Amino acid sequence: MAIKLLKARIRNFKVFADLDIDFEDADLVMFDGPNGFGKTTFYDAIELLITGTIKRFERLSRLVDRRVTYNENPYLNDRYMDADIEIKAAIKVGDVNYHLSRKALNGDLEKTADFAAFKLYRHDAFESEEATLVADEAGLLEEIFGRNYKENFPFLNYVEQEDHTHLLKNTESEKKQHISHLFNVQEFETVIAKYEAARRQIGDLCKPEVVRSLKERAGKIEQLKKGLKPSDSLQYEQILNNRSPGWDQEDIIFSANLYSSWLDENGELTLLEKLIRHREDYIAYINDDRLNGIIGSPALSDFLRYFYFILQQDLFRVKQHLHEELLALIDTFEDLTAGGIDNEALNLSEDIVKVLNNINEPVVTNYGLFLQSLRSQRRLATDLERSFTDLQTSRDRLIERFKAHEEHLENKDNSCPLCGQDWSTYDELLAAIDRKTDVLKALVENSSAALNLAYTTFTQNAVEALLGLIDSYLTADPIDPVFVAELLGLNVDEFTRRSAMFELIGLNIDPFLNKEARSDGDLQLDDLIAELQGLKIGYDATLDYAPLKELYQKYFRDNGDIFMSLTPEQIAAKIQYVEWRYNVYQNELIREEEAAYGKAKQTYDDANALSLKLKEIIDVYKKSLKEYNKDLIRDIEILFHIYSGRIVQDFQGGLGLFIKEDRGIKFVTGPEKTFDAVFSMSAGQLAALIISFTLALNKKYSLNKILFIDDPVQTMDELNIASFIEVLRNDFGDRQIFISTHEDMMSTFIRYKFKKQGLRTRRVNMKNLLTSNHA
C-alpha cells in the first residue's frame, strides 16, 4: 500500500512547543542536527499518533514508583504547562488524504506516565481546527496502515535509537511470540486453542479420580450383591403401639448404616430380642440395682434422721426465731444499766408475749408496767441525776465483774482497773473502791434518790420474775440448734422422691425413722440396710444391662404392659420382616447403582475416546503449524541472510547471518552454531543485525510503504553504513523513509546517494527548526 506522511504538526509535546513540518512528498526525509534537539521526540510523536502509545516508555514504566507523588505530566512542554498536547499529520494513502490528530486535553492529563488521556481525532483539512473524535480507532488506522498495524509498527516500520536491540534480549520463544502475528497463524493457533480447551474440559471426565470412582462404585455394587439374603414376602405386624420406630413401620425407609444400627451386635432389634429373652433377669436387675442405689446412698442416714420432721420446717423456723429472741433478751438483761432503760431491746415482741402469757400472764403484764414506770421516772429526772445514776450503776457492774475476774486469779492484781494506780495490797484497792462508791452513793442519793429506787425496784421485781418465766419456757421446750439448722437447709422434694422410692419397693419406712429433734440421736441404719438386702432377688451378672436399660427407657417406660406381653417369637418375626424389606431395598438400590454406574462408565468411555481423538487432531494441527512456521522462517531467513550479508560487511564470520527455528527464533553466525549471535557480535554489528531483520520483515510482511529509522549510524562504522544506504535506496526505494542522524556530513552523504537513485529527499535540521520556533 503506497503511503506517505505529507505534513506534521506537534504542539506542546516534550521539547516541541509548536512545530510544523512539510515533508514535500519526499521519498527520504533526513533529520539532522545535534543531540538534544528533538529528533527522537519526533519519532515518539509519530509512534504515539499511529499506535496510541510509545513502546520504550511502556518498558520504562516499571521503573516508576507508584507510591511516589509526582508534580507534573512528563509529556507536557515546560513552557506551556496549562495547554493541550496535539500531534497532527496529513497522510496520503494512494489517492486518499487523511488528516488525523492525537490530542490530550490539559484537564484530562494526570501526573502519570501513561497515555490514557490521548484520543484520536479526524479533520476535514490539515489546517482545520474542527475535529471529530474517532469512535472506531482501530478500524480507521487499519484502513490506513493495514491489519495488525499496532503490533507491526515496532518490528516492521520503526528501528529505535534507544535500546534498538531489545528484541535480541528476549528468550528465543519470546522473540517468536513478538512477531508470530506476522505469519498469519492466528487461525491455526485459535483452532488449536479451541481443541485444547475442549480436551481440557473433556479431560475432567476421564481423570484418574474418575477411574477410581468407577472402580469404587463397581466394588460397592458387588458388595451389595453379596449382602443379599434369600427371603420370601412376609406379613407385617406392629409390635409397639405406643411408639413408632423406623423398624416397626410397614414401609421401612432405609438410609446409610440404618440396617446395621438395627441388626448388628448392638443394634436395637438385637438388644430388644435379648431384653425380652432375659426379661426376668432384667426385672431382677432393675429391682436390685434400685436397692443398691438406696443402700449405697450417703443421704440415707439424713433421710432417717430428718424425714419425720421434714414437713415441719416452718414450725421449727418460727421456734428457732423465738428462742433466738429470748436469748437476746437475756443478754440484754445481763448488761442492763439504768442508762439502758431506753433500749428498744427491752420491749417484748408479740411472739414472746404470746408464749410467756401461757405460763404466767400477770408476770408479763407486771414487767410491762414496771418498764413503762421506770422510763417515765427517768424522763422526769434532771440531766445531772441521770448522769449520777448511770455512773453509779456502771461502776457497780464493773466492780462486780472485776471481783469475779480476780477470784479466778492466783495472784491478785493490786492496780486499779480504771486509773491503773498501784496499791500496796489488794484489800487496800478494794477499800479505796468502797470509799469511792460510798461517795458516789451519797451523791446519787442526794441528787436522784427517786430514780435509783425505781431502777432497783424494776430489776429486783419485774426483770427477775420475767427471767424465771423465760427459763421455765426454755427448759420445758428446748431445741437442738444444729438439728434445726440442718433441717431448714434440706430440700423437701428430694425427701419426697426418696419416700416414693421406698413405697415403690413396698417397704414401710416408718419404724426406722428418727422421731427426736436431736442431731446426736441413734439411727436404725443397719436395721434398714438389712431389711433392704433381704428384698434383693438376684440376676445373671454376666449380662450387660446398660444398653438394655436404655432400650427399656426408650420404648417401655410408659407402657409396661407391652413389655410384659412381648414374646421372643414376635421379635424373631420382626427381624425376619426387616431383613426381607432390606433385601427389597437392596435390590432397588443395586438397580439404581448399576444404572448410574452404566451411565457414568459410558460417559467415561465416550470422553476418553473423544479425548484421544482430539489429541490426534491437535497433533495434526501442531505438526502442520510447525511445518508452516519453518517454511515462513525460511522465507524470512533468505531475505535476512541477504540483507545482513550486505550490511554487516566487517563481520569475520563470513557473508550473512542465519535464523534458526526450533521452539523459538535464534540468530546465529553460522549454520552449525547453537549460541545466539548476541554472544559473539559487537554493539555496532548487533545494531546492523536488528536493522537487517527489520528490513527483512518490512520487505516480506509490511502492508504499508513507510519506514522510520532513528540514528542508525550512531554505532555503525563507515563500511556498514555505506552498505546499509545501498540496501535502502535499491531495495526500499518504493517506501517513504525517515532517517535521523546527528552528523551533518552523513546526512549530506545519504541524501546524495538517494538523489543519485532518482529519489526525492527533504532535509530537516532540527536545531534550526526548533530555534526558529522558539524565537
Side-chain angles (χ1 to χ4, degrees):
M1 181 189 301
I3 183 171
K4 279 195 174 181
L5 184 59
L6 303 178
K7 295 179 181 180
R9 174 177 294 157
I10 305 174
R11 290 178 177 171
N12 205 34
F13 179 69
K14 297 178 71 176
V15 300
F16 299 132
D18 191 357
L19 179 70
D20 278 281
I21 307 176
D22 187 347
F23 300 115
E24 301 173 355
D25 201 25
D27 298 308
L28 171 69
V29 177
M30 197 74 209
F31 293 99
D32 56 30
N35 290 332
F37 282 87
K39 297 188 294 297
T40 300
T41 299
F42 171 79
Y43 288 105
D44 289 342
I46 296 303
E47 182 181 3
L48 179 56
L49 174 69
I50 296 174
T51 67
T53 187
I54 301 174
K55 281 289 184 183
R56 68 190 185 95
F57 290 149
E58 282 188 353
R59 294 193 294 273
L60 289 172
S61 64
R62 66 179 183 273
L63 303 178
V64 176
D65 192 341
R66 304 290 182 183
R67 297 169 298 179
V68 176
T69 301
Y70 296 94
N71 299 323
E72 73 282 341
N73 186 281
Y75 308 118
L76 269 170
N77 184 274
D78 292 341
R79 297 170 60 190
Y80 303 99
M81 298 297 290
D82 296 329
D84 301 334
I85 297 177
E86 182 181 23
I87 302 165
K88 196 173 189 179
I91 304 170
K92 184 178 181 180
V93 182
D95 297 329
V96 180
N97 288 335
Y98 294 87
H99 303 95
L100 305 178
S101 69
R102 183 137 338 236
K103 188 183 300 184
L105 301 179
N106 191 273
D108 296 337
L109 285 171
E110 297 182 2
K111 296 169 183 178
T112 63
D114 60 38
F115 301 96
F118 289 87
K119 309 297 181 184
L120 186 68
Y121 296 86
R122 189 168 184 176
H123 304 262
D124 294 333
F126 184 75
E127 299 299 333
S128 174
E129 292 296 330
E130 295 184 2
T132 303
L133 180 66
V134 177
D136 184 10
E137 178 178 316
L140 177 61
L141 293 175
E142 282 192 357
E143 180 183 323
I144 298 172
F145 297 102
R147 185 165 54 89
N148 295 326
Y149 68 93
K150 190 171 184 177
E151 294 83 356
N152 290 347
F153 187 82
F155 298 106
L156 274 62
N157 303 104
Y158 181 34
V159 180
E160 296 180 21
Q161 173 190 350
E162 180 180 338
D163 199 16
H164 50 264
T165 59
H166 68 86
L167 178 66
L168 301 178
K169 297 177 182 178
N170 288 288
T171 64
E172 296 165 15
S173 60
E174 287 172 341
K175 291 174 189 173
K176 184 176 179 181
Q177 289 174 5
H178 280 309
I179 62 171
S180 62
H181 65 278
L182 303 175
F183 301 157
N184 294 321
V185 296
Q186 289 92 339
E187 293 184 6
F188 265 102
E189 293 173 344
T190 300
V191 172
I192 291 173
K194 287 181 179 179
Y195 277 118
E196 287 181 335
R199 188 166 184 257
R200 282 193 299 272
Q201 290 181 341
I202 293 171
D204 292 338
L205 301 176
C206 46
K207 286 181 177 179
E209 294 86 347
V210 177
V211 177
R212 286 196 296 271
S213 176
L214 287 172
K215 289 182 178 179
E216 290 173 359
R217 296 177 79 168
K220 180 181 178 181
I221 292 172
E222 289 301 316
Q223 195 67 29
L224 289 174
K225 289 181 177 179
K226 289 180 181 178
L228 290 176
K229 298 178 181 178
S231 61
D232 298 327
S233 175
L234 297 173
Q235 186 70 28
Y236 168 74
E237 178 189 359
Q238 186 179 24
I239 62 175
L240 299 179
N241 56 21
N242 61 327
R243 295 177 183 268
S244 299
W247 49 261
D248 201 27
Q249 303 292 322
E250 183 173 6
D251 296 323
I252 301 175
I253 300 175
F254 291 94
S255 58
N257 301 322
L258 190 57
Y259 175 80
S260 60
S261 72
W262 291 341
L263 289 172
D264 64 6
E265 184 178 357
N266 293 307
E268 276 198 356
L269 280 170
T270 305
L271 292 174
L272 181 61
E273 188 274 334
K274 183 185 293 186
L275 176 62
I276 299 304
R277 183 158 41 90
H278 297 279
R279 180 163 42 208
E280 299 302 324
D281 279 311
Y282 176 77
I283 293 172
Y285 161 76
I286 293 298
N287 177 78
D288 293 2
D289 185 60
R290 185 183 295 115
L291 292 172
N292 287 331
I294 297 173
I295 292 170
S297 173
L300 183 58
S301 59
D302 286 345
F303 180 83
L304 294 180
R305 187 178 302 280
Y306 297 107
F307 181 71
Y308 183 79
F309 303 98
I310 193 68
L311 298 180
Q312 303 176 43
Q313 282 181 326
D314 292 340
L315 177 62
F316 275 92
R317 187 174 289 106
V318 171
K319 192 173 182 180
Q320 181 190 43
H321 180 68
L322 180 60
H323 274 247
E324 290 173 351
E325 282 189 323
L326 291 172
L327 293 175
L329 185 60
I330 292 172
D331 291 339
T332 303
F333 287 149
E334 288 181 357
D335 293 329
L336 182 64
T337 64
I341 294 301
D342 295 330
N343 191 342
E344 292 294 328
L346 294 175
N347 298 334
L348 302 182
S349 68
E350 291 182 4
D351 292 335
I352 292 177
V353 170
K354 183 178 180 180
V355 298
L356 295 183
N357 278 342
N358 292 333
I359 301 174
N360 193 330
E361 184 175 353
V363 171
V364 177
T365 303
N366 186 51
Y367 171 83
L369 294 174
F370 267 102
L371 179 61
Q372 183 179 1
S373 175
L374 180 59
R375 284 175 174 171
S376 298
Q377 183 68 34
R378 181 171 172 78
R379 282 193 294 272
L380 295 174
T382 64
D383 291 341
L384 178 59
E385 291 171 340
R386 284 198 298 271
S387 298
F388 276 131
T389 304
D390 291 344
L391 179 59
Q392 178 184 350
T393 56
S394 296
R395 282 176 56 82
D396 291 343
R397 183 71 62 188
L398 174 62
I399 291 168
E400 289 177 6
R401 294 196 176 187
F402 176 70
K403 289 179 178 180
H405 170 69
E406 291 297 328
E407 289 176 359
H408 294 86
L409 296 178
E410 294 181 3
N411 298 318
K412 304 297 183 181
D413 188 359
N414 300 332
S415 61
C416 177
L418 293 177
C419 65
Q421 180 177 344
D422 191 15
W423 296 82
S424 58
T425 65
Y426 177 69
D427 292 335
E428 289 183 5
L429 170 62
L430 295 180
I433 292 174
D434 289 339
R435 288 195 298 273
K436 195 65 178 177
T437 301
D438 292 339
V439 173
L440 290 174
K441 284 182 178 180
L443 290 174
V444 171
E445 288 173 358
N446 293 333
S447 63
S448 57
L451 179 59
N452 188 47
L453 179 61
Y455 171 73
T456 302
T457 303
F458 171 72
T459 56
Q460 291 178 353
N461 295 328
V463 172
E464 289 180 2
L466 189 67
L467 285 173
L469 288 184
I470 293 173
D471 183 64
S472 299
Y473 172 77
L474 293 178
T475 303
D477 191 14
I479 65 169
D480 184 340
V482 175
F483 179 89
V484 174
E486 292 184 358
L487 175 67
L488 296 181
L490 297 175
N491 186 295
V492 177
D493 293 338
E494 182 66 26
F495 273 66
T496 303
R497 284 193 294 270
R498 290 187 179 278
S499 175
M501 186 176 296
F502 283 108
E503 292 179 6
L504 182 64
I505 62 176
L507 178 63
N508 181 15
I509 196 67
D510 186 70
F512 303 97
L513 296 178
N514 168 50
K515 297 178 182 178
E516 293 184 4
R518 294 167 48 202
S519 60
D520 58 350
D522 293 334
L523 299 177
Q524 300 185 52
L525 181 61
D526 293 339
D527 295 338
L528 174 61
I529 291 175
E531 187 76 16
L532 291 171
Q533 294 285 6
L535 295 176
K536 290 184 179 180
I537 302 174
Y539 56 88
D540 184 357
T542 62
L543 294 176
D544 182 7
Y545 291 96
L548 301 181
K549 184 177 181 180
E550 182 179 348
L551 189 66
Y552 178 89
Q553 294 292 327
K554 184 176 181 180
Y555 293 120
F556 305 112
R557 180 178 58 186
D558 300 328
N559 199 334
D561 292 341
I562 294 180
F563 173 67
M564 296 304 297
S565 64
L566 275 177
T567 65
E569 291 75 21
Q570 286 179 297
I571 305 301
K574 176 58 66 176
I575 292 174
Q576 290 180 350
Y577 181 81
V578 171
E579 288 178 341
W580 170 65
R581 293 297 305 181
Y582 185 66
N583 273 350
V584 173
Y585 164 76
Q586 289 286 82
N587 276 314
E588 294 175 354
L589 187 61
I590 288 171
R591 284 195 295 271
E592 292 175 0
E593 287 289 336
E594 285 180 335
Y597 172 79
K599 185 177 180 180
K601 184 65 167 60
Q602 186 63 47
T603 300
Y604 168 78
D605 292 340
D606 292 345
N608 194 47
L610 183 56
S611 178
L612 294 174
K613 186 65 176 178
L614 288 173
K615 185 178 183 304
E616 293 177 3
I617 296 172
I618 292 169
D619 290 342
V620 171
Y621 268 97
K622 285 185 174 180
K623 183 178 180 181
S624 300
L625 178 59
K626 186 175 182 180
E627 294 299 324
Y628 179 62
N629 277 332
K630 287 183 178 179
D631 291 341
L632 292 173
I633 292 297
R634 280 195 290 270
D635 291 343
I636 300 174
E637 184 179 20
I638 295 171
L639 289 172
F640 174 69
H641 186 67
I642 293 171
Y643 292 149
S644 62
R646 292 169 63 183
I647 296 175
V648 192
Q649 290 289 326
D650 60 344
F651 181 61
Q652 62 182 1
L655 295 176
L657 299 170
F658 299 87
I659 300 177
K660 279 191 174 181
E661 193 278 335
D662 184 9
R663 296 181 180 178
I665 293 177
K666 184 190 300 182
F667 302 105
V668 294
T669 57
E672 75 286 355
K673 300 293 184 180
T674 56
F675 270 99
D676 200 287
V678 72
F679 291 99
S680 58
M681 301 184 75
S682 67
Q685 290 169 340
L686 290 174
L689 181 153
I690 200 64
I691 289 173
S692 302
F693 185 63
T694 302
L695 294 179
L697 292 175
N698 186 280
K699 191 72 173 178
K700 179 69 178 176
Y701 296 110
S702 181
L703 300 177
N704 55 70
K705 305 292 186 178
I706 195 166
L707 188 60
F708 298 90
I709 305 173
D710 188 9
D711 206 352
V713 302
Q714 191 172 31
T715 55
M716 296 170 62
D717 56 27
E718 288 80 358
L719 180 60
N720 289 344
I721 291 170
S723 302
F724 168 59
I725 299 304
E726 288 301 319
V727 170
L728 284 181
R729 72 173 188 165
N730 287 293
D731 287 28
F732 295 87
D734 59 339
R735 286 159 170 74
Q736 185 182 32
I737 302 173
F738 292 79
I739 302 177
S740 66
T741 178
H742 63 282
E743 299 178 12
D744 291 346
M745 290 186 61
M746 185 58 66
S747 172
T748 302
F749 172 72
I750 295 174
R751 284 184 282 112
Y752 168 76
K753 282 289 188 179
F754 269 76
K755 286 179 181 178
K756 292 291 287 183
Q757 195 72 15
L759 300 172
R760 296 184 298 277
T761 65
R762 167 84 162 88
R763 180 196 180 195
V764 179
N765 185 277
M766 297 302 293
K767 179 180 180 182
N768 295 338
L769 189 63
L770 194 62
T771 303
S772 63
N773 275 278
H774 283 175

